């Protein structure tokens, strides 16, 4: 869920209803409670172990674990974080060398050295947790150390995106004594070297972060502590914001709530400020090839021919999202409207012809699954709309099912669902990262997507290009193949909306290029 040469950063353009101030600094001293921020979100971590999660858990990882590289809020290319310097040491982009900063240590007090870096990568790739990010490191051949501070990564194939991989929470650095090499971290604690330490954690309820006095890195903390409260109800989260129990919301606002805040601002009510940012999050359907109906290309193509994205965005999301016609979102270099080019506007006649030519009896029964507590309260409305669109053609008979996120995730990773909904925030804003994580035998969706042309030619060819504009031809062809196969059906591209009290500042810098919040950028104007 980042750029090579010339990659665009997901813009942090703010369109506030009340002007968001971004200047000023906090005093260097003071109690942890004096400069405290409370954030509400509907995206709770599924695990505290970076080897176990490739999902919204990264929101927390970014703030408590350190990575060798990081994308700064003022640039588009990764820069050293835990590393003092990193670079490819060969012309083929297969050997990458990093030298660590001096004096790094974990919150346990133990040193963060080259051996700890090697251990962090080796355990993720060896554990290979089904829900973890090992697939993102699949091109890593071996990690070697040279002395206490030098680490050398050897790749199986050339990959100009590797510096960006090192900037993602998949590359979080962990204490070898706290995180075993062969098993996942067993409890609800975290030992990192990031800007914050985890003072306390209640799963699904709350995480309390406090400033790490031993942190060595580029982040400049503008607060002393952050409390993150996890909600299963968007309504309750907004009620707490209005009552002053939290300072801002991140993830989980419904379209209706966003519209209400916009209307209030237009009417002169500035009690809550609403910030809008360009987003790179995409939402889509996944078709499981193990299911008898979903495995049929004609069935998948007929669904693609029927879904009306404009209607979905208008009626369910109140135009707080944009229709999406490729797995690669608008604004990312290499994007094409592959699905629009292939299927055009929704057409019952075309969908019926596809099914008839394949000899498929209608109505086709399909069960669509979704996580009822992951992407906000509008998810149920979204799937009800999809059901209505497919059934009014007379070609499908849709059953809807939902589960809590933890149960839903276990199910789709086991291949339990015929068709299911997912959201995806890129690890880094490159077209490759909206394609590669979903293809191959082992991928982030848990459903095999075998296509030798994609995995054997198109993606490897694009990764040889340090100029990402030059990679557009291969990536465009990859998107056209995905539109033809419809193993994944893109639906809409989200925007980022943050509702906050008027006194909260730093929001425009807090959301990084992969739409993860850097809590250290937030502060209250009254505390300058």
């Amino acid at each position: 869920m980042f750029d090579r040469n010339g990659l665009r950063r997901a813009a942090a353009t703010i369109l506030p209803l009340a002007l968001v101030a971004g200047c000023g600094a906090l005093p260097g001293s003071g109690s942890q409670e004096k400069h405290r921020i409370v954030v509400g979100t509907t995206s709770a971590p599924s695990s505290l172990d970076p080897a176990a999660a490739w999902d919204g858990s990264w929101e927390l990882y970014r703030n408590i674990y350190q990575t060798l590289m990081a994308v700064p809020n003022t640039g588009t290319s990764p820069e050293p974080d835990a590393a003092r310097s990193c670079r490819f040491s060969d012309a083929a982009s297969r050997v990458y060398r990093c030298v660590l900063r001096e004096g790094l240590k974990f919150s346990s007090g133990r040193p963060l050295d080259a051996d700890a870096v090697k251990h962090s990568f080796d355990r993720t790739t060896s554990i290979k947790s089904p829900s973890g990010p090992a697939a993102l490191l699949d091109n890593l051949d071996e990690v070697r150390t040279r002395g206490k501070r030098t680490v050398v990564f050897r790749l199986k194939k050339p990959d100009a995106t590797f510096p960006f991989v090192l900037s993602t929470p998949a590359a979080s650095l962990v204490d070898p004594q706290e995180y075993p090499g062969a098993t996942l971290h067993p409890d609800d604690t975290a030992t990192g070297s990031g800007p914050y330490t985890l003072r306390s954690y209640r799963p699904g309820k709350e995480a309390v972060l406090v400033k790490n006095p031993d942190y060595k890195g580029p982040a400049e903390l503008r607060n002393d502590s952050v409390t993150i409260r996890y909600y299963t109800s968007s309504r309750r989260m907004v009620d707490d914001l209005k009552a002053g129990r939290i300072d801002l919301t991140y993830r989980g606002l419904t379209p209706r709530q966003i519209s209400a805040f916009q209307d209030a601002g237009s009417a002169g009510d500035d009690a809550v400020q609403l910030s809008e940012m360009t987003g790179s999050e995409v939402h889509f359907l996944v078709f499981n090839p193990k299911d008898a109906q979903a495995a049929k290309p004609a069935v998948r193509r007929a669904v693609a021919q029927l879904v009306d994205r404009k209607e979905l965005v208008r009626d369910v999301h109140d135009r707080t999202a944009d229709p999406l016609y490729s797995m690669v979102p608008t604004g990312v270099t290499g994007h094409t409207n592959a699905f629009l080019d292939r299927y055009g506007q929704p057409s019952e006649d075309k969908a019926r012809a596809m099914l008839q030519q394949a000899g498929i009896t209608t109505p086709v029964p399909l069960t669509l699954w979704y996580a009822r507590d992951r992407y906000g309260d509008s998810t149920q409305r979204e799937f009800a709309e999809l059901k209505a669109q497919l059934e009014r053609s007379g070609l499908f008979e849709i059953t809807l099912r939902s589960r809590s996120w933890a149960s839903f995730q276990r199910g789709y990773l086991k291949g339990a669902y015929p068709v299911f909904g997912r959201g995806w925030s890129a690890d880094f804003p490159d077209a490759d990262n909206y394609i590669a994580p979903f293809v191959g035998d082992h991928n982030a969706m848990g459903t095999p997507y075998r296509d030798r042309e994609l995995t054997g030619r198109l993606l490897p060819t694009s990764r040889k290009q340090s100029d990402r504009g030059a990679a557009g031809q291969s990536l465009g062809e990859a998107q056209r193949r995905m539109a033809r196969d419809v193993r994944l059906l893109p639906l809409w591209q989200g925007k980022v909306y943050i509702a906050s009290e008027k006194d909260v500042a730093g929001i425009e810098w807090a959301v990084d290029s992969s739409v993860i919040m850097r809590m250290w950028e937030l502060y209250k104007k009254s505390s300058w």
Side-chain angles (χ1 to χ4, degrees):
M1 330 181 165
F2 278 141
D3 159 36
R4 306 88 197 199
N5 301 334
L7 264 188
R8 290 183 59 180
R9 180 175 181 268
T13 302
I14 307 295
L15 303 175
L17 298 181
L19 182 62
V20 180
C23 58
L26 292 176
S29 60
S31 70
Q32 292 174 346
E33 297 307 316
K34 181 178 181 181
H35 305 306
R36 175 174 174 258
I37 294 289
V38 184
V39 177
T41 178
T42 60
S43 181
S46 59
S47 171
L48 296 188
D49 189 334
W54 194 359
D55 58 22
S57 304
W58 284 20
E59 304 275 352
L60 188 58
Y61 299 169
R62 175 68 74 199
N63 292 278
I64 59 178
Y65 296 107
Q66 204 168 8
T67 51
L68 291 171
M69 302 288 283
V71 177
N73 58 19
T74 56
T76 58
S77 298
E79 296 179 359
D81 187 344
R84 186 189 71 189
S85 63
C86 288
R87 65 179 180 85
F88 280 108
S89 57
D90 68 331
S93 298
R94 290 187 60 181
V95 180
Y96 199 71
R97 179 178 178 271
C98 290
V99 178
L100 296 174
R101 294 177 185 267
E102 295 183 8
L104 293 173
K105 61 181 178 180
F106 294 106
S107 55
S108 62
R110 287 181 282 270
L112 195 174
D113 56 15
D115 288 337
V117 174
K118 174 176 169 58
H119 173 84
S120 299
F121 284 87
D122 286 350
R123 74 182 293 269
T124 296
T125 56
S126 62
I127 291 174
K128 284 189 176 180
S129 170
S131 57
L136 192 58
L137 302 173
D138 192 54
N139 193 35
L140 184 58
D141 187 22
E142 65 173 344
V143 184
R144 293 184 178 180
T145 62
R146 294 179 181 174
K148 291 293 185 181
R149 293 173 48 221
T150 301
V151 186
V152 178
F153 300 90
R154 296 185 181 275
L155 308 180
K156 299 172 185 176
K157 299 177 182 178
D159 187 358
T161 73
F162 190 67
F164 294 89
V165 173
L166 294 185
S167 72
T168 71
S172 296
L173 305 177
V174 298
D175 185 339
Q177 292 195 36
E178 298 287 340
Y179 296 78
T183 59
L184 293 174
H185 190 57
D187 53 30
D188 293 325
T189 62
T191 304
S193 61
Y196 297 97
T197 60
L198 184 65
R199 183 168 72 182
S200 65
Y201 179 70
R202 292 187 294 149
K205 301 293 184 182
E206 183 180 87
V208 179
L209 314 182
V210 296
K211 182 186 293 186
N212 180 2
D214 297 318
Y215 168 70
K216 294 181 182 294
E220 297 181 8
L221 278 70
R222 291 174 172 263
N223 58 65
D224 294 313
S225 72
V226 176
T227 297
I228 307 172
R229 291 181 183 159
Y230 301 111
Y231 293 83
T232 57
S233 166
S234 298
R235 179 189 57 78
R236 183 179 175 188
M237 180 174 67
V238 168
D239 286 346
D240 281 358
L241 173 67
K242 292 178 178 179
R245 288 186 286 269
I246 61 176
D247 297 310
L248 73 156
T249 68
Y250 181 63
R251 295 198 187 279
L253 288 177
T254 67
R256 289 176 179 174
Q257 289 168 337
I258 293 168
S259 295
F261 284 132
Q262 290 172 334
D263 292 343
S266 298
D269 182 355
D270 62 352
V272 173
Q273 65 180 11
L274 184 69
S275 301
E276 176 186 320
M277 306 179 189
T278 301
S280 59
E281 183 175 350
V282 298
H283 287 252
F284 51 93
L285 295 179
V286 183
F287 291 85
N288 188 345
K290 297 178 182 178
D291 178 74
Q293 297 293 354
K296 299 173 182 177
V299 169
R300 302 194 301 266
R301 290 167 185 159
V303 173
Q305 188 64 71
L306 289 171
V307 168
D308 190 330
R309 295 168 177 82
K310 292 181 180 178
E311 189 175 80
L312 186 68
V313 166
R314 182 192 67 222
D315 295 347
V316 175
H317 297 286
D318 296 337
R319 296 183 172 88
T320 59
D322 294 316
L324 183 64
Y325 297 97
S326 170
M327 288 301 295
V328 179
T330 303
V332 174
T333 301
H335 162 83
T336 70
N337 284 318
F339 278 79
L340 183 61
D341 294 341
R342 185 174 185 90
Y343 299 98
Q345 298 302 317
S347 169
E348 293 181 10
D349 291 340
K350 290 181 179 179
R352 183 175 293 106
M354 291 174 177
L355 295 172
Q356 289 176 345
Q357 290 172 9
I360 296 174
T361 301
T362 59
V364 179
L366 276 181
T367 301
L368 275 58
W369 286 80
Y370 62 92
R372 59 176 173 263
D373 59 349
R374 186 63 175 176
Y375 304 112
D377 295 346
S378 60
T379 305
Q380 182 177 355
R381 293 175 57 214
E382 176 179 331
F383 275 77
E385 173 65 21
L386 289 171
K387 172 182 169 71
Q389 289 186 10
L390 295 174
E391 287 190 337
R392 71 188 177 205
S393 69
L395 301 175
F396 287 92
E397 186 176 88
I398 304 298
T399 301
L400 298 181
R401 294 284 185 269
S402 67
R403 286 180 174 173
S404 65
W405 171 251
S407 179
F408 176 79
Q409 186 181 46
R410 288 193 295 270
Y412 78 68
L413 289 173
K414 293 179 180 179
Y417 310 139
V419 186
F420 60 94
R422 273 298 312 269
W424 180 260
S425 293
D427 307 311
F428 48 90
D430 186 271
D432 178 280
N433 198 243
Y434 289 94
I435 299 173
F438 311 132
V439 301
D441 287 331
H442 305 286
N443 60 60
M445 297 299 104
T447 57
Y449 188 161
R450 300 183 179 94
D451 187 322
R452 291 184 179 178
E453 187 70 4
L454 280 174
T455 58
R457 183 178 72 86
L458 295 174
L459 291 177
T461 298
S462 74
R463 288 172 178 170
K464 293 178 181 178
Q465 304 289 338
S466 58
D467 178 355
R468 298 314 291 165
Q473 182 174 350
S474 297
L475 294 171
E477 187 176 346
Q479 290 168 76
R480 289 188 288 274
R481 289 186 68 86
M482 297 177 82
R484 182 198 67 187
D485 296 337
V486 200
R487 312 283 186 88
L488 305 151
L489 180 63
L491 298 174
W492 54 274
Q493 175 179 348
K495 300 176 183 178
V496 178
Y497 291 93
I498 296 176
S500 64
E501 292 188 335
K502 291 193 301 180
D503 196 34
V504 177
I507 292 172
E508 70 270 43
W509 301 114
V511 179
D512 73 7
S513 55
S514 53
V515 200
I516 292 176
M517 184 168 282
R518 297 176 288 204
M519 301 295 179
W520 60 84
E521 297 284 0
L522 300 171
Y523 63 97
K524 293 183 178 179
K525 301 171 194 176
S526 58
S527 64
W528 308 9

